[in-house]
Amino acid sequence: MLLLHGFPEFWYSWRHQLREFKNEYRVVALDLRGYGETDAPFHRENYKLDCLITDIKDILDSLGYSKCVLIGHDWGGMIAWLIAICYPEMVMKLIVINFPHPNVFTEYILRHPAQLFKSSYYYFFQIPWFPEFMFSINDFKALKHLFTSHSTGIGRKGCQLTAEDLEAYIYIFSQPGALSGPINHYRNIFSCLPLKHHMVTTPTLLLWGEKDAFMEVEMAEVTKIYVKNYFRLTILSEASHWLQQEQPNIVNKLIWTFLKEETRKKD
């Protein structure tokens, strides 16, 4: 089981799932390229989507596996979708949390001002060095706000982010240069999408927090047209963008159900 985190997170965002699934799976939660203690190349070209996809393929190979259960959240969800599209033979089952199929995202954002506004940080991140500066000033106030505010934070109706949890995030992103790699992921996105070959043929579970401050829930509902196999969408009311941390018991139960049930291709 391979777990891909989002922004601005690292492997720690999967702490509840690592404990839950370790008895039946070899569970590996990665730090994506440029995050945490991974290599962080300086140039933005090193963070193109094809590089990120190849990273995951190479990691799976290095672990000695040809297939995996692939789970991705947020930006990690984007990568998970792309792996299922480009290397369907690698993915036994696909689970994505709060990120729609990439084609849905790019088409929806162009037609719906509300989503364009919610995704405005994608454009802000295109500016050199300034986003890193804004995240780091005032003792990483912006990063703390992202995780703890009423509008965007973790714990709206579920598990709160503890002081120790928040300290773990601040420690990781306060290391020298630790913000540039993660933000560089976004600095290539407009040159990479949309996709030409976009259908997913893997059994897929899409989990969604209804009160996601960054993603319109309608995108989740449209995603099913891009999955030419078993597809299940579960929307959790009153849940936020940070679903696997905020509602871990429910998320884990839904994942178990999906993993254990027989899934068959749609007619």
Side-chain angles (χ1 to χ4, degrees):
M1 180 181 287
L2 211 52
L3 309 175
L4 311 181
H5 64 79
F7 174 89
E9 299 175 280
F10 65 115
W11 70 264
Y12 186 74
S13 67
W14 298 110
R15 58 197 177 280
H16 303 293
Q17 289 68 45
L18 285 166
R19 288 192 292 265
E20 178 71 21
F21 297 102
K22 66 180 181 179
N23 289 335
E24 290 196 28
Y25 289 88
R26 182 179 180 187
V27 188
V28 178
L30 307 179
D31 279 343
L32 297 178
R33 177 182 291 220
Y35 283 83
E37 297 183 0
T38 61
D39 291 339
F42 178 76
H43 296 290
R44 59 183 288 179
E45 290 77 15
N46 295 115
Y47 296 87
K48 289 182 178 179
L49 286 172
D50 56 352
C51 296
L52 307 178
I53 295 166
T54 301
D55 281 348
I56 308 307
K57 183 178 184 300
D58 290 346
I59 287 168
L60 189 64
D61 289 342
S62 69
L63 291 171
Y65 294 88
S66 60
K67 296 180 179 182
C68 68
V69 172
L70 186 61
I71 307 180
H73 169 248
D74 183 71
W75 186 262
M78 160 82 84
I79 298 172
W81 282 115
L82 295 175
I83 292 166
I85 293 166
C86 298
Y87 299 104
E89 70 281 359
M90 283 177 47
V91 186
M92 294 183 292
K93 289 192 174 182
L94 175 66
I95 301 161
V96 179
I97 303 174
N98 282 78
F99 202 94
H101 185 284
N103 282 81
V104 174
F105 180 70
T106 54
E107 292 164 6
Y108 193 93
I109 197 173
L110 295 174
R111 299 175 184 173
H112 296 82
Q115 183 57 50
L116 185 63
F117 176 76
K118 287 185 175 185
S119 300
S120 59
Y121 63 96
Y122 278 60
Y123 300 91
F124 175 61
F125 285 169
Q126 305 309 307
I127 305 170
W129 72 262
F130 190 63
E132 289 93 324
F133 172 73
M134 291 301 295
F135 265 103
S136 62
I137 59 173
N138 295 328
D139 192 27
F140 294 87
K141 182 178 180 179
L143 188 65
K144 294 175 182 176
H145 179 82
L146 186 65
F147 285 126
T148 61
S149 75
H150 176 73
S151 59
T152 65
I154 299 172
R156 181 187 301 272
K157 293 279 186 176
C159 293
Q160 298 287 330
L161 199 69
T162 68
E164 291 77 14
D165 294 335
L166 185 59
E167 185 61 32
Y169 281 103
I170 299 303
Y171 174 79
I172 287 296
F173 288 105
S174 64
Q175 301 305 305
L179 284 164
S180 291
I183 293 175
N184 276 336
H185 281 241
Y186 291 85
R187 288 176 171 142
N188 293 286
I189 188 170
F190 296 112
S191 63
C192 299
L193 297 174
L195 303 167
K196 293 180 180 178
H197 306 291
H198 48 227
M199 290 297 176
V200 173
T201 59
T202 303
T204 301
L205 171 65
L206 179 58
L207 302 177
W208 204 277
E210 186 181 32
K211 301 299 183 181
D212 191 328
F214 309 101
M215 295 281 173
E216 293 283 298
V217 69
E218 288 81 3
M219 291 193 292
E221 296 162 351
V222 177
T223 288
K224 65 182 177 182
I225 67 174
Y226 287 99
V227 181
K228 296 299 183 183
N229 204 316
Y230 178 97
F231 176 78
R232 173 177 290 180
L233 167 63
T234 300
I235 300 172
L236 300 185
S237 62
E238 299 302 319
S240 76
H241 178 75
W242 319 98
L243 198 55
Q244 80 274 23
Q245 298 187 70
E246 184 180 283
Q247 304 279 355
N249 293 336
I250 296 174
V251 167
N252 292 346
K253 183 177 179 180
L254 290 168
I255 291 175
W256 273 127
T257 299
F258 177 63
L259 293 176
K260 292 180 179 296
E261 69 187 345
E262 290 295 325
T263 54
R264 62 183 182 88
K265 195 169 183 178
K266 290 189 292 190
D267 296 331

